[in-house]
Amino acid sequence: MKKLFIVSLLLVTIPGFSQTRQGLKLWYTQPSGKTWENALPIGNGRLGAMIYGNPDKEIIQLNEHTVWSGSPNRNDNPLSLDSLAIIRQLIFEGKQKDAERIANRVIITKKSHGQKFEPVGSLQLAFEGHNNFSNYSRELDIERAITQTTYTVGDVIYTRQAFASFPERIVIMRITASQPGSISFTASFTTPQKRTTIKTIPSVSDLKELTISGITSDHETVKGMVKFKGIVRIKPEGGSLMGNDTSLTIANANAVTIYISIATNFNNYKDISGDENKRASDYLNKAFAKPYTAILQAHIAAYQKYFNRVKLDLGTTDAANFPTDERLKNFNSTNDPQFVTLYYQYGRYLLISSSQPGGQAANLQGIWNDKINPPWDSKYTININTEMNYWPAEKTNLSELHEPFIQMTKDLSVTGQQTARDMYGARGWAAHHNTDIWRATGAIDGATWGVWSGAGGWMSQHLWEHYLYTGDKTFLATVYPVLKGASTFYVDFLIEHPTKKWLVINPDMSPENAPEAHQHSSLDAGTTMTNQIVFEIFSSTIKAAEILKMDSAFVDTLKQMRKRLPPMQIGQYGQLQEWLDDIDDPKDNHRHISHLYGLFPSNQISPYRTPQLYEAAKTTLLHRGDVSTGWSMGWKVNWWARLLDGNHAYKLIQNQLSPVQGGRGDGGGGTYNNLFDAHPPFQIDGNFGCTSGITEMLMQSANGEIHLIPALPDAWPTGSIKGIKAIGGFDIVSMEWKDAKLVKVVIKSNLGGNLRLRTPNAMKSGTGDALKKATGKNSNPFFQVEETPAPVIADKATIASPELKETMLYDLPTVPGKTYTLVIK
Ligand code: FUC
């Protein structure tokens, strides 16, 4: 209490502080120093920057979304096809290790294991004498997507604002001072890139500008051919600007605006014939002609178009008055619900900033990476991590931002055709567990990780979900070939299991787990996750074809084959089996729990429709434990939400919102000071996974109904949310709960159809009318859930019946465009 009082006093007396207290802000009383994970991220989906806010040496670390090592290339291993039969036979015979040895030679690529997302470099601003500062604060305002640093040197107050303008495609920083003529600094570039030229050249009005030109790295025998160009042009107000060969010096200016433009020659994964110089100059010239305030206003408007759609309120306590790093340290020992709101909205901020229509999809680090050799190349791991990045897209009302992921899937549906054909003799398209900007679809890393072909099915499912949320049939028609291609690959690649007679994928694996029973080899046939993925993409393709009224013969094939897929199995410990055989180890705490794909993101396991599988999934999750890598804990928030256990989901949020301990490889997850998620190292998937999970705690729309506050933890008894989305085109315009009871919900129907609502307590319509109790199947076409085949249950397994809280289930017929209000009865 005492500490709080002191902080509050500081907050009102120090200028920088008084602004940083309110609203959705990350703020700190210390500069970032040398630590990248202290710096604050800004981005416009094309450019990403980390702002350090160091008074004496500002660092603006820069990324551009298409600066990747390498050039158009493929990495299939054509030896695969000839050895496929023997690999399959060995796996069916239980000789996984022998199969693995061959797979490492013939399936795993001998070429690129994926290219790297590389940084451009850093713009450094050296301010002499500014190491002696006071009254320091820096912040990232996620309601406006702007960073601000304020400090005092002598009797001058300095302020720096920076943002990545969405409309202008540039990064911009404005430096002001409380007294005229006080701004002097030198700007220069540093870069970890090896083939660059940094120089100043004459600019408009005889001033000089600073440029960096370069070509990205060669990597794993692929020649680096992405050419990039960065230009820094400075507009001083008063004072002077001088340039030497590689730096610009500003002296005694009243205010300064720095415009940074970066572009490359990248057009798409097979075309790098663009003109990076012209692009960089064009963006810059357009922006430079505009005053700072105009660029700022347009930026805020463009950002808020997305950001303002959702408002969350879980309550605010005094704990919210502390700087962000303090709140992170204290989160587990204080009641700070607003910190969850901040983290939730930060996930949306990060998606808006790293994924814009027409740009590249958010990679393992979104769009923020300072290393020339980043962890896992900062590329796309598509056996979980990239999909997780896009879990919040539709439900948190950022549907348009799904586009880069959808485009990537469309690209893979083309490049993956050659992989399907050359490596497996199959039609359709296939991708393994990783890809990159060149849309490589070969198998990489080693047989323990790479021999997995589930990506086509999983990624295509996002396209189907985009349709389920939007009802956009034109979109569905354009992406139907992607769904069909993913399914066609499985039609050709499935093979009958010699003894069980089910149709299975072989070779297969349950991402990246390797059971002891198979001498720690990952290879297997018909793993549960793959069966679920195939079941799901077959079902979605069937529905899509039926909606589009086409391909009836293909639909019949899919229906016939779907019946022959392995059902889910409940093993001896009552667990959901990860593999075809009952070989799960209840002590296994592997970070991947891939077989729970059926619980989330899929909807094949539900408390109401499949109670035994629901219990088995819960047992599995309890076996695996809570603490894991960041993204794994993010997934667990979603699973516990689907298991309707809000308190357990909240426990995972607490684990995630703890300061990171240890470095790469240590596991244990956690969060950095800038609220980036830690695997460790930094991986952005956990941020997005948790934002999705918090939404799932408050609303779920996957199981043939819309379930409101399905997994509310005790920590959030009262709150409200506005603007999230459910499938079937339903907007949760607003929802309020009090003492864990739903008190009011306003829902807009965009597409019409039956609205089936599950609520924790009885509701009546806003006009006082009684609501109709739901009966039978939901008639709304968007809520048709494929029936999950009955599980096979081990003799030894004991399965309890789920203990479910009583809920109400209503049916409300809706008309497109109309809004419906329900209040507590
Ligand atoms: C998979 C995961 C790792 C990490 C990496 C990027 O290999 O198993 O934990 O997230 O992707």
Side-chain angles (χ1 to χ4, degrees):
M1 202 57 224
K2 207 165 162 196
K3 199 168 167 199
L4 261 183
F5 177 68
I6 293 166
V7 169
S8 324
L9 271 184
L10 283 174
L11 290 170
V12 279
T13 50
I14 298 170
F17 282 13
S18 57
Q19 306 166 9
T20 49
R21 217 155 48 121
Q22 305 297 323
L24 295 170
K25 287 175 179 168
L26 283 65
W27 69 280
Y28 309 83
T29 56
Q30 308 290 333
S32 301
K34 291 194 171 131
T35 306
W36 186 83
E37 293 85 356
N38 285 344
L40 294 169
I42 55 173
N44 59 17
R46 270 132 182 132
L47 301 182
M50 297 292 282
I51 310 294
Y52 281 62
N54 295 338
D56 56 338
K57 193 183 241 183
E58 178 63 281
I59 302 174
I60 304 171
Q61 188 265 311
L62 295 159
N63 288 101
E64 198 274 355
H65 64 144
T66 62
V67 174
W68 282 67
S69 70
S71 45
N73 74 92
R74 299 194 56 89
N75 63 352
D76 308 305
N77 189 337
L79 297 176
S80 164
L81 191 52
D82 282 347
S83 301
L84 188 57
I86 180 75
I87 290 173
R88 285 177 151 172
Q89 189 188 329
L90 289 168
I91 290 173
F92 279 144
E93 287 171 359
K95 296 175 183 157
Q96 277 82 4
K97 275 284 168 195
D98 296 335
E100 195 177 285
R101 268 188 288 278
I102 302 177
N104 269 321
R105 196 164 44 79
V106 304
I107 294 184
I108 298 305
T109 188
K110 297 296 164 255
K111 295 180 176 162
S112 164
H113 287 255
Q115 295 298 311
K116 304 178 288 173
F117 175 55
E118 296 188 332
V120 172
S122 296
L123 179 68
Q124 311 229 0
L125 311 177
F127 294 79
E128 222 171 290
H130 284 215
N131 50 354
N132 202 1
F133 59 86
S134 58
N135 294 353
Y136 180 89
S137 87
R138 67 188 171 101
E139 68 176 39
L140 170 63
D141 177 351
I142 64 168
E143 287 173 298
R144 299 188 308 153
I146 298 170
T147 65
Q148 181 162 310
T149 306
T150 313
Y151 59 91
T152 305
V153 174
D155 52 3
V156 183
I157 302 168
Y158 290 91
T159 304
R160 299 175 194 158
Q161 274 193 346
F163 59 93
S165 157
F166 288 90
E168 302 297 339
R169 298 178 70 145
I170 58 157
V171 167
I172 189 163
M173 178 177 271
R174 179 160 171 86
I175 307 172
T176 52
S178 61
Q179 291 180 26
S182 346
I183 302 172
S184 302
F185 65 92
T186 298
S188 59
F189 255 124
T190 58
T191 178
Q193 291 280 353
K194 295 283 178 300
R195 298 185 290 182
T196 50
T197 309
I198 295 170
K199 62 178 184 193
T200 59
I201 56 167
S203 170
V204 285
S205 42
D206 288 339
L207 296 178
K208 282 195 161 182
E209 62 192 24
L210 179 61
T211 64
I212 179 169
S213 323
I215 304 184
T216 57
S217 317
D218 301 338
H219 185 54
E220 293 171 346
T221 73
V222 184
K223 219 170 147 28
M225 288 171 65
V226 175
K227 292 189 204 152
F228 58 89
K229 174 67 167 283
I231 314 174
V232 177
R233 194 181 288 169
I234 301 183
K235 198 185 272 179
E237 290 160 40
S240 65
L241 189 165
M242 307 278 284
N244 71 10
D245 289 351
T246 57
S247 65
L248 301 173
T249 298
I250 302 289
N252 308 321
N254 305 325
V256 171
T257 310
I258 304 172
Y259 297 72
I260 306 168
S261 174
I262 310 170
T264 73
N265 61 344
F266 181 94
N267 289 336
N268 59 52
Y269 69 92
K270 53 187 173 186
D271 174 6
I272 46 171
S273 65
D275 182 343
E276 69 282 5
N277 295 314
K278 181 171 181 327
R279 283 175 180 168
S281 309
D282 285 353
Y283 303 145
L284 185 61
N285 289 337
K286 207 173 125 254
F288 200 74
K290 297 178 185 169
Y292 177 76
T293 44
I295 296 177
L296 177 67
Q297 293 312 322
H299 163 72
I300 294 172
Y303 171 73
Q304 291 187 340
K305 171 184 144 199
Y306 295 114
F307 186 77
N308 286 355
R309 291 174 184 174
V310 172
K311 299 254 184 286
L312 174 64
D313 183 2
L314 299 172
T316 303
T317 63
D318 283 350
N321 294 334
F322 286 86
T324 304
D325 46 344
E326 293 287 317
R327 292 175 76 183
L328 179 63
K329 274 189 217 134
N330 296 339
F331 182 68
N332 276 273
S333 55
T334 47
N335 176 22
D336 190 358
Q338 202 268 354
F339 200 49
V340 178
T341 303
L342 181 68
Y343 190 71
Y344 176 81
Q345 292 287 26
Y346 191 49
R348 296 184 66 247
Y349 167 81
L350 292 172
L351 194 65
I352 301 168
S353 307
S354 64
S355 180
Q356 285 286 316
Q360 292 302 313
N363 62 49
L364 278 177
Q365 299 193 180
I367 194 170
W368 299 281
N369 163 46
D370 66 331
K371 294 189 174 59
I372 199 80
N373 290 309
W376 293 285
D377 300 331
S378 194
K379 54 182 186 287
Y380 298 103
T381 309
I382 48 180
N383 67 7
I384 168 64
N385 315 82
T386 309
E387 289 91 344
M388 182 177 277
N389 285 0
Y390 285 87
W391 288 348
E394 300 291 339
K395 62 185 90 155
T396 79
N397 210 338
L398 300 173
S399 184
E400 301 95 318
L401 309 188
H402 217 158
E403 192 273 345
F405 180 94
I406 291 168
Q407 184 58 46
M408 176 156 79
T409 310
K410 286 184 185 167
D411 293 347
L412 294 175
S413 78
V414 177
T415 59
Q417 288 174 24
Q418 196 175 325
T419 303
R421 188 186 65 222
D422 292 0
M423 290 185 65
Y424 303 115
R427 299 167 301 156
W429 67 277
H432 295 89
H433 91 300
N434 262 247
T435 191
D436 59 12
I437 200 167
W438 311 113
R439 309 315 191 212
T441 43
I444 70 153
D445 286 351
T448 309
W449 303 274
V451 187
W452 180 78
S453 53
W458 191 349
M459 292 182 77
S460 300
Q461 191 58 26
H462 279 245
L463 279 48
W464 171 247
E465 283 196 359
H466 183 73
Y467 166 74
L468 287 184
Y469 277 90
T470 60
D472 183 347
K473 278 199 187 137
T474 314
F475 168 82
L476 187 64
T478 61
V479 299
Y480 175 71
V482 180
L483 272 67
K484 183 179 178 185
S487 286
T488 303
F489 171 71
Y490 298 124
V491 164
D492 284 5
F493 199 43
L494 285 165
I495 178 174
E496 188 180 77
H497 191 284
T499 54
K500 300 185 193 281
K501 302 295 173 192
W502 291 317
L503 292 179
V504 294
I505 295 296
N506 179 9
D508 188 19
M509 72 169 52
S510 186
E512 306 176 14
N513 204 357
E516 205 183 333
H518 291 164
Q519 306 91 49
H520 297 290
S521 166
S522 300
L523 294 192
D524 204 353
T527 67
T528 300
M529 179 202 227
T530 302
N531 305 336
Q532 293 166 343
I533 288 176
V534 175
F535 180 87
E536 183 167 47
I537 192 62
F538 276 12
S539 303
S540 307
T541 307
I542 291 166
K543 283 194 203 117
E546 287 173 348
I547 292 164
L548 299 168
K549 300 193 176 40
M550 57 201 291
D551 274 347
S552 58
F554 185 60
V555 164
D556 282 346
T557 305
L558 295 182
K559 285 185 176 166
Q560 290 310 319
M561 293 184 81
R562 187 176 58 185
K563 279 193 217 148
R564 299 188 56 201
L565 295 171
M568 281 184 260
Q569 303 187 82
I570 299 175
Q572 54 185 318
Y573 307 107
Q575 88 285 10
L576 182 69
Q577 276 180 219
E578 184 161 5
W579 294 278
L580 270 193
D581 294 324
D582 192 359
I583 54 174
D584 300 79
D585 174 359
K587 295 209 176 61
D588 177 8
N589 61 3
H590 200 276
R591 61 196 178 284
H592 288 262
I593 321 178
S594 306
H595 44 317
L596 295 192
Y597 176 90
L599 175 65
F600 183 90
S602 186
N603 57 2
Q604 296 164 51
I605 301 173
S606 134
Y608 302 102
R609 291 184 296 110
T610 66
Q612 292 171 315
L613 287 168
Y614 163 89
E615 279 298 313
K618 195 197 278 179
T619 302
T620 291
L621 207 44
L622 290 169
H623 285 171
R624 286 288 168 95
D626 292 340
V627 174
S628 190
T629 57
W631 63 259
S632 179
M633 299 203 294
W635 203 346
K636 286 171 188 169
V637 177
N638 291 272
W639 283 321
W640 282 113
R642 286 278 170 100
L643 290 171
L644 310 181
D645 189 338
N647 285 337
H648 208 136
Y650 185 72
K651 195 163 161 248
L652 267 303
I653 295 174
Q654 284 182 307
N655 290 342
Q656 198 153 352
L657 282 175
S658 316
V660 58
Q661 315 276 338
R664 182 171 178 175
D666 287 344
T671 295
Y672 294 100
N673 280 339
N674 62 3
L675 301 192
F676 271 169
D677 169 68
H679 181 289
F682 163 51
Q683 251 180 239
I684 205 159
D685 37 27
N687 286 97
F688 294 137
C690 197
T691 292
S692 163
I694 293 165
T695 318
E696 291 282 324
M697 290 164 79
L698 301 176
M699 190 274 298
Q700 296 173 15
S701 70
N703 277 300
E705 60 194 39
I706 296 178
H707 193 166
L708 301 177
I709 49 170
L712 196 67
D714 295 342
W716 312 333
T718 297
S720 66
I721 191 160
K722 290 186 178 149
I724 51 175
K725 290 258 184 187
I727 64 166
F730 290 109
D731 296 353
I732 312 300
V733 178
S734 68
M735 176 171 89
E736 291 159 42
W737 64 95
K738 195 166 182 277
D739 301 326
K741 286 209 159 52
L742 185 66
V743 289
K744 186 177 175 191
V745 60
V746 181
I747 298 182
K748 181 173 179 208
S749 169
N750 293 297
L751 303 170
N754 184 50
L755 168 59
R756 177 162 292 183
L757 268 187
R758 191 181 289 277
T759 59
N761 46 269
M763 303 292 285
K764 61 183 184 198
S765 100
T767 50
D769 304 335
L771 289 170
K772 200 172 127 255
K773 285 230 166 89
T775 47
K777 226 175 131 199
N778 188 347
S779 62
N780 189 316
F782 293 97
F783 288 79
Q784 302 312 307
V785 182
E786 203 51 50
E787 202 178 312
T788 305
V792 172
I793 303 175
D795 293 341
K796 283 197 205 159
T798 46
I799 309 166
S801 294
E803 280 171 32
L804 300 175
K805 281 189 200 144
E806 211 186 313
T807 54
M808 310 300 292
L809 196 61
Y810 299 110
D811 273 343
L812 192 71
T814 72
V815 176
K818 263 196 86 175
T819 296
Y820 301 85
T821 302
L822 273 59
V823 293
I824 190 166
K825 200 163 150 184

